[in-house]
Amino acid sequence: MAVSALDDEVLRVVSAAVDVAFYRAVYPELDAPGFDPVRHYVEKGWRDGRDPAPWFSVRDYLAMHPDVASAEQEPLYHYLTEGRREGRKLTPSEHGEGYLRRYSDRGVTPAWRFEPRVTPRVARPVVSAPKAVSDEDRALVATEFNADFYNTAYPDVAAAGFEPLNHFLVTGWLEGRDPNPRFSVRDYLETYPDIGLARINPFVHYLRTGRAEGRMPRNQLGFRFEILSHGKPVAERIAEAQAASEEFAARPVEDLASGLASSRTGLKDLHLTFSHDDYTANLGGLQLCLQREDARVAELGRDHLHLYPARHWPVLRTLEAAPLGVLLNGQHLGFFSVDDIVGAFGAAADESRGARSLALHSLLGHKVDEVLAICGALGLTEGFFWLHDFASLCAGYHLLRNDVQDCAAPPPDSAACRVCAYGPWRGRHLEEHERLFRGLRLTVVSPSEPTLKLWRDSWTFPHVDELILPHATLLERAPAAAAPEGPLRVAYIGFPAAHKGWPVFRDLVQRLEADERYRFLHLGSRRAADLVTEFHAVDVTDANPRAMQEAIETLALDVVIMWPLCRETFSFTAYEAIAGGAAVVTGPDSGNIAAVVQRGHGRVMPDEAALALAFEDGSIADLSRASRRPMLYDLAFSGLTVDLLSAVAK
């Protein structure tokens, strides 16, 4: 049945997802005094093919779901109320990230991003409309419903001003939204399909009878099972990257030539870098490295050209085509075809030349033939190859077998590779990097000794030299102030990602949250949706590189848990924790973290069971500030490739 554009229900639901700032910026001709983007979109905009947010394409959704189009239903309302639950795709590539890139290329930065829930890959019963919510059910659910968790996990609900408990009871559970971090609607319906068939709210059932019957609130197989069961095949991820890349229209070469004309030196003195994304728009360790390298290049008075794929790719490209983004001195020039880039750079190379250098920070999303052609156009035959990860050894650049288990890069014909999702793609990375190292004279630069050793022991590429240059070093500053009284302050710092060990910390907190011996905190740029604990927003940028260590010192953290599933090549967060006076607790397969901790900066536990036991028996208290009387440090950051340029032939 068609939904009237004036229906208040449509306006109420859609208002949670329409990005008002985005709508005004993309369609400035509509903006006028009294203009209401949400009402305009609902009443007219969607019929004109206008997108309500950078992640949602009106035209794609209607084209892919003709029943919605023929019923003249407003597509975003349909997706939010029905399509998402039915597993309908948003675009041919299953998501709207291509639209985020497309619109950001036009200079549009959304004020906030509504993130639609991902449809689970595991089949489960389709639950039809709920029965009316009784006062008894409402009172029952209220006893264990966590409104703070719900608003954090589902910002669209909070942004729309919905009362969280009511939203969950009426529509939230149908959309797979969880009432608290300990209960999974998805898991309960998948494990007990009789509940879905009976059209019963699974949390209501669990509280009323399920718990007494011994039913589990979520699967007990752990977060590694979650990763395995919901992971996408590498081939599918490549296909998505290809489809998303095709959404970018390369700009004409004249635009590139015009942009290059704004260079500092006329590209006479030039530093060329490659990585997997736009370091000015994304946050992470590698991006911070490139920001620092860019700043140091500017101090030298050189131009810095940076190339990255328009869309994130999980592997190196071989046959796949994709445009590349071009940054000049930190300014985005646009996305261009590789042929146009080679041509424009070749024209620049014809001018008088000065000092030119090359640094390869990541080749994910790049094609080796293209890299060699671009370097050739600029007359570059040698440079530096950074080991920020292990992509040169495997398409699984974290060296995690099936994304859950450290593998230490065994021989590619081993049984371990045959059972890994990345096994069939490992040959691509080894062969392509072999061609890269034969095509250029490269010096390998590692941020730590353990990283270089693993790389050297795993494969032999024809390189010129090997260097170790840490991204930062610890300089003693002063003894820490006397430790405050109270429970042991235990924290996770950084982005709450599975491969960084967030689930290990989360599960520990959930087991011990009522234990008065401990105070658990999370410091980072984004609050995690799956854990309600004390959170402190900390953003580390090139302009404020010591924000994290200062926060750790101010909060007088005793222990920072760092339990990555993968071998860290360096780990800024480990150095920040130590600099701020905290002890680092980690596992044996954490790469450089374990190497640094073993120098007297914490404890390396043999496994997760030992970690849990140390908290249960209280022995972790030996790492308190009062017991250790730690030293505080300053962090001296390297200039990365700029520190090595004296070795580059001028």
Side-chain angles (χ1 to χ4, degrees):
M1 173 178 167
V3 179
S4 169
L6 297 176
D7 193 306
D8 288 341
E9 173 67 8
V10 178
L11 284 169
R12 183 182 68 82
V13 172
V14 168
S15 66
V18 173
D19 190 324
V20 172
F22 164 85
Y23 203 79
R24 290 181 185 275
V26 174
Y27 311 115
E29 69 278 8
L30 302 176
D31 208 354
F35 173 64
D36 183 342
V38 176
R39 182 168 289 276
H40 181 275
Y41 168 76
V42 170
E43 294 180 354
K44 187 175 186 297
W46 71 271
R47 298 180 185 277
D48 297 337
R50 300 181 190 270
D51 294 337
W55 57 268
F56 189 90
S57 167
V58 166
R59 288 190 174 90
D60 274 0
Y61 196 80
L62 293 177
M64 295 176 64
H65 310 297
D67 58 317
V68 180
S70 62
E72 296 186 354
Q73 290 183 288
E74 190 282 298
L76 181 59
Y77 176 82
H78 180 274
Y79 173 71
L80 294 174
T81 58
E82 299 179 49
R84 174 167 48 190
R85 175 165 50 85
E86 294 168 355
R88 301 210 188 202
K89 293 182 179 181
L90 294 176
T91 73
S93 57
E94 296 192 21
H95 48 72
E97 291 186 12
Y99 287 89
L100 283 171
R101 285 288 192 180
R102 185 186 76 183
Y103 286 120
S104 64
D105 189 31
R106 292 165 55 177
V108 177
T109 304
W112 65 282
R113 178 184 173 189
F114 173 82
E115 298 182 352
R117 298 273 292 174
V118 177
T119 302
R121 295 177 56 79
V122 180
R124 63 175 175 83
V126 175
V127 183
S128 56
K131 298 177 180 178
V133 180
S134 67
D135 291 341
E136 182 184 1
D137 286 352
R138 185 180 302 276
L140 179 65
V141 170
T143 61
E144 297 192 29
F145 182 80
N146 191 319
D148 289 339
F149 163 82
Y150 201 78
N151 283 330
T152 300
Y154 313 114
D156 56 310
V157 176
F162 294 130
E163 197 284 313
L165 175 59
N166 186 65
H167 184 274
F168 171 75
L169 288 167
V170 177
T171 62
W173 71 273
L174 286 168
E175 298 165 352
R177 303 184 193 242
D178 298 332
N180 64 43
R182 296 179 179 278
F183 186 89
S184 169
V185 167
R186 175 189 301 177
D187 286 356
Y188 204 79
L189 291 174
E190 289 174 355
T191 306
Y192 311 114
D194 56 312
I195 307 305
L197 293 172
R199 297 189 299 164
I200 300 173
N201 181 316
F203 193 50
V204 171
H205 180 273
Y206 173 73
L207 294 177
R208 178 164 290 127
T209 61
R211 181 156 47 193
E213 294 169 356
R215 303 204 192 205
M216 294 292 102
R218 61 187 315 125
N219 79 61
Q220 302 299 302
L221 299 176
F223 70 90
R224 289 178 175 84
F225 171 78
E226 289 291 322
I227 295 173
L228 288 169
S229 62
H230 296 103
K232 289 184 179 179
V234 178
E236 186 175 339
R237 290 157 55 194
I238 293 174
E240 289 183 355
Q242 178 70 72
S245 296
E246 292 171 355
E247 295 174 353
F248 291 85
R251 292 185 178 180
V253 68
E254 291 79 12
D255 288 356
L256 179 56
S258 175
L260 295 176
S262 65
S263 65
R264 298 185 182 110
T265 71
L267 301 185
K268 176 183 176 182
D269 298 316
L270 174 68
H271 183 56
L272 176 67
T273 58
F274 291 80
S275 84
H276 67 297
D277 69 5
D278 179 353
Y279 66 86
T280 68
N282 297 290
L283 184 63
L286 193 156
Q287 291 86 350
L288 281 172
C289 286
L290 272 161
Q291 290 176 23
R292 292 185 178 122
E293 188 161 302
D294 179 82
R296 292 292 302 276
V297 169
E299 291 173 4
L300 295 179
R302 293 191 185 186
D303 286 308
H304 178 200
L305 271 173
H306 180 72
L307 301 179
Y308 65 95
R311 169 71 166 88
H312 173 74
W313 285 74
V315 297
L316 272 68
R317 291 183 291 115
T318 51
L319 300 176
E320 303 91 354
L324 298 181
V326 180
L327 292 171
L328 175 62
N329 300 326
Q331 298 300 310
H332 184 60
L333 301 185
F335 297 103
F336 303 91
S337 72
V338 172
D339 288 343
D340 285 347
I341 291 173
V342 170
F345 287 7
D350 290 338
E351 305 295 329
S352 57
R353 288 187 54 188
R356 290 186 176 175
S357 52
L358 167 68
L360 303 170
H361 288 277
S362 174
L363 292 187
L364 291 175
H366 291 280
K367 187 184 296 186
V368 168
D369 285 343
E370 295 174 353
V371 172
L372 295 176
I374 292 168
C375 291
L378 290 170
L380 289 164
T381 60
E382 56 187 315
F384 297 96
F385 183 89
W386 278 90
L387 298 180
H388 295 293
D389 57 32
F390 296 105
S392 54
L393 299 178
C394 184
Y397 47 88
H398 291 309
L399 296 185
L400 285 176
R401 185 177 303 116
N402 296 316
D403 293 323
V404 297
Q405 182 66 47
D406 173 69
C407 73
D413 59 351
S414 66
C417 284
R418 288 197 294 273
V419 300
C420 179
Y422 296 103
W425 306 95
R426 190 177 181 191
R428 170 189 287 211
H429 275 228
L430 291 173
E431 292 169 6
E432 291 301 296
H433 279 90
E434 184 78 21
R435 293 176 58 243
L436 175 78
F437 277 85
R438 293 192 181 281
L440 295 168
R441 289 172 47 82
L442 295 175
T443 295
V444 175
V445 188
S446 174
S448 67
E449 190 279 331
T451 297
L452 181 60
K453 183 178 186 304
L454 177 59
W455 184 84
R456 185 195 302 121
D457 292 347
S458 300
W459 201 258
T460 302
F461 294 108
H463 53 288
V464 175
D465 200 1
E466 300 171 354
L467 300 172
I468 296 176
L469 179 61
H471 297 321
T473 53
L474 295 166
L475 304 176
E476 286 192 3
R477 177 159 53 93
E485 296 182 358
L488 193 74
R489 292 162 297 280
V490 183
Y492 176 97
I493 63 176
F495 191 79
H499 72 278
K500 293 292 186 180
W502 169 257
V504 175
F505 176 79
R506 178 200 64 202
D507 293 349
L508 183 68
V509 173
Q510 290 180 346
R511 285 198 302 272
L512 300 170
E513 60 186 353
D515 194 322
E516 296 182 353
R517 294 176 296 174
Y518 306 112
R519 173 185 167 192
F520 293 102
L521 307 90
H522 174 205
L523 282 63
S525 60
R526 194 186 80 178
R527 183 190 296 270
D530 57 353
L531 179 67
V532 178
T533 193
E534 183 178 340
F535 175 75
H536 295 265
V538 181
D539 286 311
V540 177
T541 64
D542 187 50
N544 191 15
R546 294 174 175 80
M548 184 62 78
Q549 74 175 82
E550 291 171 357
I552 292 168
E553 182 179 349
T554 299
L555 292 166
L557 298 185
D558 295 292
V559 173
V560 169
I561 297 178
M562 305 189 68
W563 205 276
L565 306 187
C566 58
R567 297 170 186 250
E568 292 281 4
T569 58
F570 181 73
S571 182
F572 278 110
T573 50
Y575 280 73
E576 290 165 340
I578 294 166
V584 175
V585 174
T586 191
D589 298 323
S590 58
N592 192 49
I593 297 179
V596 173
V597 168
Q598 287 170 341
R599 299 171 195 159
H601 297 300
R603 186 176 300 170
V604 179
M605 299 283 192
D607 51 38
E608 290 168 37
L611 174 68
L613 179 61
F615 277 85
E616 290 166 3
D617 65 17
S619 60
I620 195 70
D622 294 344
L623 295 179
S624 69
R625 286 188 178 235
S627 298
R628 293 183 298 111
R629 304 180 62 84
M631 177 68 64
L632 299 177
Y633 297 85
D634 281 327
L635 286 178
F637 298 101
S638 83
L640 288 103
T641 310
V642 175
D643 289 349
L644 307 170
L645 288 183
S646 59
V648 177
K650 300 292 194 283

